[in-house]
Amino acid sequence: MQQVFTKAVARNIFLGSAAFFLAIYLVLTWATWRAIPRRDHAAAMTPQVVAGKYLFDTNDCQGCHTVNGEGSYFAPELDNVYTRRGPAFIKAWIAAQPTGVPGRRQMPNFHFDGQQLDDIVAYLKWLSKVDTNNWPPNIQG
Ligand code: HEC
């Protein structure tokens, strides 16, 4: 019987495909590095945005909510909540918790003052402008 699949053939398949996929890997890495500066965030983090993020993090909003899909899946995505609801709704919502509506998941009241609510809204507005490559694909998140 003729030996077609020799050791040399196996080695060539291994080396050839390793080189091929290494080349693909390098091209994709290069493409990502090239795209990052274009997708970098345009809006600067103002001190108010930083203050809002601090409140967001220290009160563990992501313990229930997701931001760009990261966090807990107990409560709605907040990356695009500013676009969906607008500042007035968000402030009124946070101040009015818990709703106490039977059968609905509840959000605690954090007793934020007006300034803190403004800071959180500033952070949520900033979040809504992050270039997420059009993710999530629909507004409901
Ligand atoms: C213990 C869980 C929990 C934590 C912690 C929490 N939330 Fe919520 N949040 C919820 C739930 C549940 C809802 C949806 C309730 C409903 O639809 O009746 C909600 C809804 C919201 C909404 C309205 C979302 C929409 O799509 O209409 C906003 C805005 C919001 N939360 C902001 C925050 C912020 C800011 C924090 C942190 C300071 C926070 N939440 C912390 C549970 C939580």
Side-chain angles (χ1 to χ4, degrees), residues 39 68 79-80 128-141:
R39 304 243 339 268
N68 289 329
D79 168 58
N80 57 6
S128 72
K129 292 196 175 139
V130 172
D131 182 355
T132 55
N133 211 7
N134 294 329
W135 188 264
N138 61 51
I139 195 152
Q140 288 304 319

Side-chain angles (χ1 to χ4, degrees), residues 55-56 59-65 74-78 81 84-85 89-90 93-94 97 99 104-108 110 112 120 124:
L55 289 170
F56 197 87
N59 288 283
D60 196 22
C61 307
Q62 257 168 292
C64 291
H65 291 272
F74 181 71
E77 165 71 42
L78 291 184
V81 74
R84 279 189 287 122
R85 300 293 204 182
F89 175 95
I90 294 174
W93 170 273
I94 294 175
Q97 298 310 305
T99 57
R104 282 195 81 88
R105 296 176 185 180
Q106 295 299 307
M107 170 168 154
F110 294 94
F112 292 133
I120 287 187
L124 292 175

